[in-house]
Amino acid sequence: MSLRRFVLRRALSVVPVLFGVSAITFGLFHLTPGDPVSQLVALNPDVSAAEEARLRERWGLSGPVWRQYLAWLSNVLVGDFGRELRTGRAVSAIVWRRLPETVVLGLFGWTFAIAIAIPAGIYAAVHEGRLGDVASRVLALSGVSVPNFWLGLVLILVFSLYLGVFPVLPPSRLPLYHPETLRYLLLPGVTIGTAAAASVTRVLRTAMVEELNEEYVTAARARGLPERTVVFKHALRNSLVSVVTLAATLTAGIVAGSVVVESVFNWPGLGSEFVQAIDRREVNVVMAITLVTAVAVVIANFLADVLYAALDPRIGYD
Amino acid sequence: MTALLEVEDLTVRFHTEAGVVTAVDGLSYRVEAGETFGVVGESGAGKSVTALSVLGLIDDPGRIEGGEVRFKGEDLLSMDESERRSVRGDQIGLVFQDARAALNPAYTVGEQIAETIEHHLGYDPSAARDRAIRLLDRVGIAEAETRYSDHPHEFSGGMCQRAGIAMALSCDPDLVVADEPTTALDVTVQARVLDLLAELADEFDVAVQLVTHDLGVIAGTCDRAMVMYAGEAVETAPTEELYYDPKHPYTAGLLGSIPRLGDDADRLSTIPGTPPDPTDPPPGCRFHPRCPFAEEACTRTAPALVDPETGEPATLDGDRAAACLEYTQGLSGGLEYSVEVVDETDGRDGGGPDE
Amino acid sequence: MADRHRVADCSRRLDRRNLLATIGAAGSAGFAGCGGQGATEPSESAESDDDGDLFPLSVRLETGGTDERIRMVELIAESLQQTGYFETEVETYEWSAYLDRVINPAYQDNGYLPSIGLSGTFNPHSFCNAIHNSANIGACCNLGGIADPELDELLDSARYGIEVVEDSRLRAETYDEIWRTLAEERYTSFTHFGVETAVTTADVHGFAVWPFPEGVLGYGLFSPQDEQVAWIDRERPAGDSDLADLTSGGTLTAAVSTNPDSFDPPHSSDTTSTVVQNLLFEGLVANDVEGNVYPWLAERYELRDVRDVDRTAYEGYMRSVGTTAEGAVDVDEQVIVRHPEDDPTADDEVRVLLPDDAREAAADGTYGMWFRYELREGVEFHDGSELTAEDVVASYGYYENSTTAPQTFDSVLAVVAVDEYVVDVYAQVPDAEAERELPGVYVLSADQIADVEKGSIDPREGVTPVGTGPFEFVEFADEEYLEVSRFDDYWVGKRGVAEAFEWFDGPDAFPDGPLVDAVEVEVVPDDATRAGALRSGEVDLTYDVASATLDEFADDDGFLVHAVASGGYDYLQYPVNVEPWDDPRLREAVNHLIPRQRIVDNVLNGWAEPAWTPIPRIARGAGTADYEALETAVRPLNEYDVERAEELLEEMAGEYDESS
């Protein structure tokens, strides 16, 4: 089976997963007592009962739950996540405005994680048991253990308040896609990427140590290949398989981490919106963000599967 | 004139948590250009370590602690790593026991052969590819051109080993070190691979150091052979003489344990006892706990490798050597065994020691 | 500037006025989402101790909201427990769940002790009526079921009626009577009054805070009624700066904790919205920090007539409208007055007064009060048009059926333009608070109102808000930042402050408008990040800072903490209809066990005032004739006094033994 067909088939198999995710998301918010309308009424007792019924009708909140779900889903499929309760503004606009911010931050976090973890993991594996290895393992363990809100606050404390090299707040007027944004991405990106960097370092090191003990590595050396070819071309390629498997899980971690990190760094992405939306009890916003992030995680898993298959020829495409 | 490969006084130790293991202890031997030299012994005798030491491929926690490995007169061990690398794969090829494990699963078989060719011979990619395909064809891979792009998992075990041989020969080496090249294969495939190896050694005019635990393999392919026990050479002889006139009780014991074709009894199990604990070898002759002829002197004095005729210390260019006190101070009981030729036409069959 | 302060930070204090007004306008049906929705507990009384002695008495305290309030209730529980007379337990709830739970007529039957925080105003009524008037049982926030007809009448007479309207002394004395009654009956234990705080860097000079959050920027920057002005001088640190040092220019950057919901004044009630609207819009009058009223967009105003009417007086102008099954009035227009005898939850039809009919009634001379406001000429909106009476009338109309309509039309009857610069505003009943309450709307541009859909005066809807205020809108990025700049044609600046305001008698050095060039507002929800941004100097000002952090800033020379007594108050209420809480001695004892000083010192780090009397500083202007005398009389009843408490409890225990 060709790679293209494999990708296509895996892509199709994601569809039922997405439906499941949407059903769970919807269920979580609608099986809990108090629908958005009654919450709106609680916030604003001035809404008349007639208006309440009208709102229920308009927001697809009347009738049995499955019908409500279908109504919601059909709106979601065309990109309509409903409206904010307090302001009546379209939720999709909020999501689309904030999504790129989170994507950029997440990608930066990933880039940072990879940029640190790949060299560190390789270094530790090649110097297995020596000082550099021990140091990198201690650092990686701390990286995994440190909660990112704490790390974020410490980074702000040290780099923004004590050293004064980075601002606390992101630039409000700078366009997102501007070289200078990098400066503001650094602290939140490092914060969000640290846990991933640490996990990847650990996993890569373990995998690499294992691969370096494989006979094909000795064989490659016996063929007189330079050590960097042996390590980077031969051992690394096979070690990356386990990193890719981990990456899908870590993407979920980065998405979850964005909730805290964006709040700490005031980054105007989905994560900080999520916190505020919960605070304001904006069910539609919370639901939309939950769904979007769930979809992102599903897509990340899908990409990991594809990458996994591309990296390891032993994995059949069928 | 010096031999192609001269190993002198090679000592390799492994520093493990359980203690220091002397895997190879003061080993000396030579391989002449174009000849096939067998190294035989039980597992743990130090054969494979010797093979890897020749290429300087001993990894932590192992260390080559002494001796010289002279290839064409130059000591490989005192070269720097990059000089050594230019010898490896180019002038000395290595064939592994588990050929599939020796291939990187992520790259195609052909790529890995071509990679070596590009690296050592400076071929451009397409020329390297052509040469690799020719080699694959030469080692008997059908449809070599298509098979070039197969990954190792798509090859059978025998095909992997053929590819391994092709790879070892890819840069026209002078020496191929083959480390138990047939052990992992089906019995039926073993013979064919050995035949191929012999045929190619002849054709390419390449010397082979063939490492095996199977005396039968030696008989069919080698010009001379060395028997190792617990990291030391106990006997060196031209193959014929080794078979018909073994000078060391251990060699004699091995001959008694050669399996017949189709005999699936545990190989080498007929010598009673087990090889010594490598961290704590017995004093005196290392073989004495298992030797039916051992005497009190054997437990105290370690026998030197000598010419069994003269009792003089063995030299690199001597053809016969054995390490038994019988040849230096004599054993009171002597060595009472003889070789009985069962079937002269089948060199693989040998006799056992008499009762 | 108006005294609207719907303190809408839901997580901290309930907007008492908003909820209260709803009761008046829409009946209890409006609470379908809160109280009506069956949070009814099984009425097992926590203290029913059938077989044993009265003591130890099981007491369940319930609360929700901020950590500080929870810690306060725990402290009170601990204090009760220590006497040995009580077995206490503290139950805490998420804030909105807690509101759902307690704003329920059946809640009082549980016999629990609820604790809640509200926000009052300059109006002394806001500190007594909401929590004691029997009309507010099951509403906000008579949680204990207090139904004392004499008190109800007293409460009513302090605010409504010709007598108190015409005689402010009588009004103050009536309130004094209320405070004394409350102190003696102890239906409620007030614990403390809040302070409004803000922190600035030392670059900000002359700053001061307003008692309500909406004024935190606008008031500090320019308020001639209190001779208040702030400026930025980054060269030398603020401290004892005075007007001689003032410099003009610079941008003040403020960090706020929430995004403004809307720039449309009547269609939003969250704190940040009111804060930013306060920079752009102005009202007919302004208040000083003590609640005194000063003419602002109106050059002068006068009370022309008071008539002794109640709401039934409008009966002849009312029309009957249907009600819905859910008990709401089924009409599209704003209901100005609903007939007090009709109940939309019970009746199929109710009589209501609609805006057109209200104007007719006013024209016929049926009204409670008649105020006349004479507008200044030549006041310019940000779009260059001139303020006229038409704008004022349109603005009141724009408040109809808005989020803030309930609190506007609980007093306003009708607004009529007399000529281009004269507006008459009528009140429904004689109301002593009318002078402050009636003009409590922002004056918007009639042109803008005509152009937009209701509720969409907001840059997110493509509409640039237009007001007469000292700052004009520049730029807004949703959930990120807002920028406003000083309005060059600001009417006060064009005339000069002394010329503009007859009442102004401040120094000559007082500027003719705000000194900063621009104000930038950054939305920073995370508390630690907001404090960090202030610390790093990226912002000049923030508010909504936790009391522990306030202490840190107060100790740092680089920052100034500004505080003023606010309208916030916390209280604990007793289920007065449930045994044994119907015994005043028990309430008196518990009240003596509330460690008010320790609550303020230890829980709130000193950023509050102990409630020795039920009336805070800001409401003392109209709410007491002689505060000193009141405090002397009332404070001993609210002191922490374990001895007295135990004496009372012992007495009760003795009686209980006799009777059983």
Side-chain angles (χ1 to χ4, degrees), chain B residues 52-190:
Chain B
L52 290 172
S53 303
V54 167
L55 290 146
L57 287 176
I58 298 298
D59 258 345
D60 265 350
R63 228 176 284 160
I64 296 174
E65 301 205 327
E68 288 189 357
V69 175
R70 289 189 298 275
F71 181 72
K72 296 180 176 172
E74 280 194 64
D75 183 16
L76 289 176
L77 300 185
S78 56
M79 283 180 181
D80 66 34
E81 180 64 19
S82 73
E83 283 176 295
R84 210 160 32 228
R85 262 204 299 268
S86 67
V87 174
R88 279 187 215 142
D90 185 19
Q91 299 180 53
I92 305 179
L94 188 57
V95 177
F96 284 82
Q97 170 172 351
D98 184 348
R100 197 197 303 282
L103 288 165
N104 189 333
Y107 296 99
T108 69
V109 175
E111 272 171 355
Q112 297 182 59
I113 298 173
E115 181 187 26
T116 319
I117 296 169
E118 273 179 57
H119 178 68
H120 288 296
L121 307 183
Y123 278 35
D124 63 47
S126 77
R129 183 190 153 89
D130 288 346
R131 185 183 169 106
I133 291 170
R134 276 203 308 280
L135 279 161
L136 284 173
D137 184 57
R138 181 61 198 86
V139 297
I141 305 282
E143 297 175 65
E145 180 129 25
T146 11
R147 287 303 203 152
Y148 176 93
S149 315
D150 276 359
H151 285 92
H153 71 275
E154 293 164 286
F155 270 39
S156 70
M159 284 163 75
C160 280
Q161 196 52 287
R162 284 166 194 272
I165 291 168
M167 196 178 289
L169 293 170
S170 61
C171 299
D172 264 328
D174 294 308
L175 174 67
V176 166
V177 177
D179 183 10
E180 307 248 19
T182 60
T183 310
L185 302 177
D186 285 348
V187 179
T188 48
V189 183
Q190 285 185 8

Side-chain angles (χ1 to χ4, degrees), chain A residues 38 41-42 45-46 48-50 86-87 89 97-98 153 161 167-169 172-173 263-264 266 268 273 276 281, chain C residues 19 30 94 96 261 324 326 328 402 458 460-461 475 478-479 481 483 520 522-526 529 532 536 538:
Chain A
S38 56
V41 172
D46 205 30
S48 75
R86 293 219 301 194
T87 64
R89 295 191 188 97
R97 194 181 62 240
R98 289 187 164 245
L153 289 177
L161 297 183
V168 176
L169 301 179
S172 20
R173 273 134 224 264
S263 299
V264 170
N266 212 42
E273 175 69 36
Q276 294 167 56
R281 260 155 264 292
Chain C
L19 289 171
E94 191 273 326
S96 59
D261 274 356
T324 63
E326 290 83 5
S402 69
D458 192 280
R460 283 161 289 204
E461 310 288 341
E475 196 184 358
D478 196 13
E479 299 178 301
Y481 68 92
E483 188 185 335
E520 205 171 299
E522 299 273 348
V523 182
V524 187
D526 187 84
T529 309
S536 74
E538 283 163 66

Side-chain angles (χ1 to χ4, degrees), chain C residues 378-444:
Chain C
V379 172
E380 237 176 79
F381 279 104
H382 300 148
D383 66 357
S385 60
E386 200 205 344
L387 170 76
T388 64
E390 188 202 344
D391 296 305
V392 178
V393 174
S395 298
Y396 276 94
Y398 193 64
Y399 273 69
E400 288 173 9
N401 280 329
S402 69
T403 313
T404 53
Q407 68 222 48
T408 306
F409 296 101
D410 65 343
S411 54
V412 173
L413 176 68
V415 180
V416 179
V418 179
D419 66 28
E420 208 180 348
Y421 298 107
V422 178
V423 185
D424 284 345
V425 180
Y426 297 92
Q428 297 167 7
V429 291
D431 178 356
E433 197 55 28
E435 188 184 1
R436 260 197 298 259
E437 300 250 321
L438 279 191
V441 303
Y442 280 130
V443 177
L444 313 174

